[in-house]
Every structure is written in C-alpha cells, then in structure tokens.
Amino acid sequence: MMSQFDGAIEKYKDEMVKNLAVRTRVGAVEELTITFEDEEHHLEELVDINRKPNMVLLNASAFPQIIPNILEALSKSNMNLNPQQDGTIIYIPLPKVTKEHRESLAKTAKQYFVKCKNIISDIRNEHIRDLKKKEGLPKDLTFKAESYVSAIQKQYVDKAEELLKAKQKELLDENILPKGR
C-alpha cells in the first residue's frame, strides 16, 4: 500500500516537473505523447525537432499524415502553445510568461493535485475492501486497521497538498518573471 501511495506522489511530482514550468520546456514538447497507427509515441520519435530562440520547429516530412495528431496533442497539452503549420513544418512559438499564463498553470497544478488525491483515495478504498473481505478478523482489529490506513492516506494527501502549495507559490511569484517581461 505504501509503495502504491509513493508511486502516486512520484507520478504527481513528474507531471508537475514536466508540465508546469513557468517557461515551456522544449523537453516537454519532445516528450508529448502522440497516437499514431493505434500506438503511442513520443513526438521526438516521429519528427525532427529543431530549436531556435523562442521557437521550436517540427519537421514532419517523414510522416506528414501525423500532422493533425501533433496539432491536436499540442493544443491539449496545457502548455499555452499556438502551433502554426507550413506544409510539413510546424512552428511553435514559445509563449511569453504572462500573469494569465502563470494563473493557468496554477489551476492545472490544482487539477493534478485532485487527480493524485483521487488515486490515493482509490488505493485506500481498495485496501479497506480487501481488509473487510478477510474472514475471522476481530471487529476491533479491523476498525484499528481501517483507522491506520486512513491516517496514512491523510499523510500522503497532506504531502501532495504541500507540493501543490509550493508549486503554486512558485508559479504565481511575480519576481520569477524573466527580465524584460
């Protein structure tokens, strides 16, 4: 159970690192998941990616039929990207850091927290169900075990909430804005 809780927290941390940076990371674009021929691939496996100042260029000439899938994945990515297509080249200007962008990222962080909290609750519920299925356990022992599992769940939810608060503080801190913005 504890390893499942730890896994939920680690997945939450990974999502925040990958998807909630103030500046859009080129690595996040490269790791974007694209569905192609009923299989999932990272974007970097399907296209040539070139970095320019404040811009990412995707050359999809090897698989031009995948361009609509790429554009859809970029629009659903919560990275505040506005891709432009010219033939088999997709231009992705990296967005300037604005207050609205920061607030949007903070909302997305909250969504990731809620998702993590739900996963932790599901793990708790699964273990409580398993506990109740056990035959021959005294009721007081079952009650104590349920209380223990619930207390551990609360610790992990509190840990996730601390991560959320720290991330929101980082995202909404105006002093982190890059110079010239």
Side-chain angles (χ1 to χ4, degrees):
M1 177 183 74
M2 301 287 265
S3 64
Q4 289 176 310
F5 284 156
D6 286 333
I9 294 291
E10 286 305 311
K11 183 178 179 192
Y12 176 51
K13 285 180 185 176
D14 288 346
E15 286 177 332
M16 287 198 308
V17 167
K18 284 182 185 177
N19 302 318
L20 296 176
V22 174
R23 296 284 299 167
T24 301
R25 292 183 319 107
V26 174
V29 174
E30 291 173 347
E31 295 171 1
L32 203 60
T33 303
I34 308 294
T35 304
F36 179 57
E37 295 180 348
D38 296 328
E39 292 184 23
E40 291 190 348
H41 302 274
H42 288 293
L43 184 60
E44 64 188 349
E45 298 170 10
L46 301 170
V47 299
D48 291 326
I49 300 174
N50 295 306
R51 297 163 187 85
K52 304 282 183 204
N54 298 324
M55 172 123 12
V56 176
L57 301 170
L58 307 177
N59 183 346
S61 57
F63 298 105
Q65 65 275 27
I66 198 161
I67 292 174
N69 303 43
I70 293 171
L71 295 173
E72 180 183 356
L74 288 168
S75 68
K76 291 182 178 178
S77 70
N78 290 328
M79 287 190 259
N80 194 28
L81 300 175
N82 184 20
Q84 305 296 316
Q85 179 185 351
D86 183 16
T88 59
I89 305 290
I90 299 172
Y91 298 89
I92 306 171
L94 298 178
K96 292 183 178 183
V97 179
T98 63
K99 184 176 181 178
E100 293 80 21
H101 179 60
R102 288 173 175 277
E103 289 169 352
S104 171
L105 289 173
K107 284 181 185 176
T108 303
K110 177 75 173 186
Q111 292 170 354
Y112 286 138
F113 165 72
V114 169
K115 185 175 164 185
C116 178
K117 184 177 161 183
N118 290 340
I119 289 170
I120 290 170
S121 292
D122 291 346
I123 293 168
R124 173 204 170 272
N125 293 341
E126 174 188 331
H127 285 279
I128 298 249
R129 266 193 310 275
D130 290 347
L131 187 64
K132 287 182 177 181
K133 287 180 185 174
K134 301 261 187 220
E135 303 259 340
L137 285 179
K139 288 195 187 278
D140 62 330
L141 182 62
T142 303
F143 179 77
K144 285 180 183 177
E146 283 183 41
S147 297
Y148 176 74
V149 169
S150 294
I152 297 297
Q153 173 208 13
K154 183 175 179 346
Q155 288 177 356
Y156 276 89
V157 169
D158 290 347
K159 186 177 184 179
E161 192 168 16
E162 286 175 26
L163 292 169
L164 170 67
K165 287 177 181 173
K167 189 57 151 178
Q168 285 182 326
K169 184 178 187 298
E170 171 193 326
L171 291 170
L172 297 173
D173 187 355
E174 295 292 329
N175 298 324
I176 299 177
L177 276 172
K179 302 257 187 269
R181 304 249 189 249

